[in-house]
Amino acid sequence: MLEYRLVTTINELETYKDTWSEILEREKNDNPFIEYEWISTWWMIVGHDVNVEIYIVEHKGEAIAFFPLVHTRRFSSIHQFSFLGQGLASYMEVIAEKRWKEQAVHYLLKELTSKFSRVLFVLHGLLESKDTSQILEKYTLAHQLPYSVFRVVTPYIDFKSIELPDFLAQHKRRLKSINRREKRLKEFGNITYQKAHAGSLDNMFRLFEKRWQKKMDTSGFTDERTKAFFEQLAKQQNGALCLKVHSLQFENTWIGFTLDICCRGRNFCHAMGHEPDFNMFGPGRLIEKENMLKAQSMNFRLYDFGVGYEPYKFDWYTHLDFTRKFIMSTTGMREQALRNVMVLQESMLAMVKTNRRIVEWKRNTLGELRYLFTKANMNEWLSMLKCKVFNGHVFNIYYLDEKMCHNKSNFQEINIQSVLDHDQRTELLAHYFKGYKLYGQKQEISFLRHDKLIQEEADGFMQELPPNTTYIKNYELPKLQIIVDEVQREGRAICTSANWFEWRKRRTLNALGFRRVERVWVNQLLKWKKVHRQEKKWVKFFSKQGQQSEHSWHLALLSFLI
């Protein structure tokens, strides 16, 4: 004979803590979102103002099943029951031993539909690899109740079914690209991957906010309640449930993080983020790789990417599961109408989420527009218009013959560590990645130099330099003479560029002996861009200098690529 007991306060639930945990232990549960610590912490911090109802099914006075639900009334007469934790809990379940689960589910559904004449069940997070959704379907078919099921893909890596060397060999090309960027970053400074303690979670939330500053974030990860929830959960580590935060740091500065919720062999990657200023170094991919290898070394059986169709999940997965949302109602017209509305909403949402173009347009384009209208300054508006709407640009390339000077050095090279707190860090880090060297006086950046390429990144123009030549940019005109002396102290020729409207700069270059080598036109309208250049003038100039251009075949090829 089964009976149920209703618990509506955390204090009441506390008396069942041991029974709850013992059931999960016997069933070898690996779903972290139904562990007692997760449920009680969520209820205390996030769900304290919602109507949480924990239904406990008992057999002969002994608890055999727990149903963690939220009870709401819709249109005054419809009683809706949902699993708690929606928005934070990717998976939910009935807490019961397998031998009691079907009987307990059928019993409670029957009791609730009898007690309330109009009932709607909206149960999210049911993994198809478990049997709860099949039990629910069996009940609805037996009682002829209307229901709908929506499913979302859930990729994961099963480390026990693969050999690590084979897995690494399968992803050899991707790992090679990641390792190349990691090596490039290591050339500039020290990088570490380490576990973060509970007191440093502010760095994680700050990084996530910056990562999504210009994107549309619907996760609510940085809401105050969510922050408090994870901070509290990090302090409640036990044998079954464990919250892990790992950081990727460059010179003791956080540039990436992962937040994992672990439970009995399952490593669930709940959140991941990286510093957008370091995008060109691929910190997201780097910490993703390190986190997977760390999970494998700690003998986790599953590395769970969570629900969703994000491309990176399908880069690494070995197996697929599906997560269901189960919507069921009684047969009254009102609750069926409400269920039909919810089914329509879920159908449209599923259609949108599976269309990558729509997802990216909403996340990136709408996110950027929201940022522009709420937080952007005038310079950011002008930069956006120039980069994405219209750009008409004409500039000249100038050349100064090599000359050996014996002046003392007026500048020192500025290392990457010195610009980590700079106001223009994003732009400066991009220069380091592209091979520029930064020079200045007392950490004030005076000019940039590149010994291999002429690069006008904003215009999409690139040209290989002749031997023993340096390209300089981003300098102030009053300092140009000493900058020229600095480079020619090494016996090198100099290239630079000047816009058509920079008449003072062009006049100064001519006075210093620079000669115009080539003129470049750039026209852009939305996604259409055309770069027109005079490649023949470039080759002809150096032929007159008696130099054989080693890259003349590149010029011919470049005209077809641009």
Side-chain angles (χ1 to χ4, degrees), residues 109-339:
L109 290 177
K110 185 177 180 180
E111 289 293 317
L112 292 177
T113 52
S114 299
K115 181 177 180 180
F116 306 105
S117 57
R118 302 181 186 279
V119 185
L120 178 68
F121 294 96
V122 183
L123 304 175
H124 79 281
L126 297 169
L127 285 169
E128 288 189 1
S129 56
K130 309 297 182 181
D131 59 354
T132 305
S133 61
Q134 288 78 15
I135 292 172
L136 290 169
E137 284 190 70
K138 187 184 293 186
Y139 179 86
T140 55
L141 292 172
H143 292 80
Q144 297 184 345
L145 298 176
Y147 77 97
S148 299
V149 174
F150 298 90
R151 61 206 298 256
V152 183
V153 69
T154 306
Y156 64 94
I157 300 173
D158 186 346
F159 285 119
K160 299 302 181 184
S161 68
I162 60 172
E163 295 292 334
L164 184 61
D166 295 337
F167 178 77
L168 297 178
Q170 180 184 352
H171 299 284
K172 182 178 179 180
R173 292 182 63 183
R174 187 171 294 110
L175 290 169
K176 185 177 180 181
S177 175
I178 294 172
N179 293 336
R180 183 170 61 248
R181 289 175 181 264
E182 179 183 7
K183 182 180 178 182
R184 186 70 184 278
L185 188 57
K186 285 182 177 178
E187 291 174 359
F188 295 110
N190 183 43
I191 61 174
T192 56
Y193 174 78
Q194 57 191 15
K195 186 175 181 179
H197 43 83
S200 61
L201 296 190
D202 283 344
N203 290 322
M204 175 182 72
F205 294 117
R206 176 194 58 78
L207 202 58
F208 188 90
E209 284 181 332
K210 188 172 182 181
R211 171 79 176 92
W212 287 89
Q213 185 180 27
K214 296 182 180 180
K215 298 178 183 292
M216 191 73 73
D217 174 34
T218 57
S219 68
F221 184 70
T222 54
D223 292 346
E224 290 305 317
R225 286 190 184 183
T226 307
K227 288 181 180 180
F229 168 75
F230 282 117
E231 288 168 354
Q232 182 64 27
L233 199 63
K235 300 173 184 176
Q236 298 185 19
Q237 312 288 359
N238 72 350
L241 180 66
C242 177
L243 187 76
K244 296 189 307 175
V245 177
H246 283 92
S247 66
L248 180 69
Q249 298 185 29
F250 175 77
E251 294 292 324
N252 298 319
T253 299
W254 281 47
I255 63 170
F257 77 89
T258 57
L259 171 63
D260 301 283
I261 307 175
C262 306
C263 181
R264 295 188 186 88
R266 181 188 290 266
N267 186 108
F268 178 84
C269 186
H270 183 81
M272 189 181 299
H274 64 270
E275 171 61 73
D277 291 348
F278 284 79
N279 271 343
M280 68 292 297
F281 294 101
R285 283 294 197 180
L286 178 55
I287 197 169
E288 180 183 291
K289 179 202 75 171
E290 293 292 339
N291 203 45
M292 287 187 295
L293 296 179
K294 183 74 172 179
Q296 192 277 336
S297 68
M298 295 178 68
N299 294 318
F300 282 99
R301 184 175 67 87
L302 302 179
Y303 186 87
D304 191 339
F305 293 103
V307 299
Y309 297 90
E310 290 82 357
Y312 78 90
K313 298 178 180 179
F314 296 93
D315 289 341
W316 302 103
Y317 83 104
T318 61
H319 294 74
L320 291 177
D321 200 348
F322 288 88
T323 303
R324 289 187 169 192
K325 188 170 189 177
F326 194 90
I327 305 177
M328 175 185 71
S329 71
T330 48
T331 55
M333 291 183 62
R334 294 181 186 178
E335 59 268 32
Q336 286 202 71
L338 179 57
R339 188 188 68 84

Side-chain angles (χ1 to χ4, degrees), residues 43-144:
W43 193 356
M44 179 176 59
I45 296 175
V46 181
H48 61 80
D49 56 353
V50 299
N51 186 28
V52 175
E53 295 184 348
I54 309 293
Y55 286 85
I56 304 172
V57 177
E58 296 180 341
H59 178 255
K60 296 181 180 180
E62 181 182 352
I64 61 169
F66 296 85
F67 293 77
L69 302 176
V70 171
H71 182 190
T72 55
R73 297 189 69 171
R74 307 288 296 273
F75 305 107
S76 73
S77 62
I78 301 173
H79 295 264
Q80 178 177 316
F81 291 91
S82 308
F83 279 133
L84 58 73
Q86 194 156 1
L88 275 178
S90 296
Y91 315 131
M92 284 303 292
E93 259 291 349
V94 175
I95 295 88
E97 291 187 44
K98 189 171 184 179
R99 65 192 179 99
W100 286 111
K101 183 185 288 186
E102 184 170 353
Q103 191 175 350
V105 169
H106 287 193
Y107 165 75
L108 187 65
L109 290 177
K110 185 177 180 180
E111 289 293 317
L112 292 177
T113 52
S114 299
K115 181 177 180 180
F116 306 105
S117 57
R118 302 181 186 279
V119 185
L120 178 68
F121 294 96
V122 183
L123 304 175
H124 79 281
L126 297 169
L127 285 169
E128 288 189 1
S129 56
K130 309 297 182 181
D131 59 354
T132 305
S133 61
Q134 288 78 15
I135 292 172
L136 290 169
E137 284 190 70
K138 187 184 293 186
Y139 179 86
T140 55
L141 292 172
H143 292 80
Q144 297 184 345

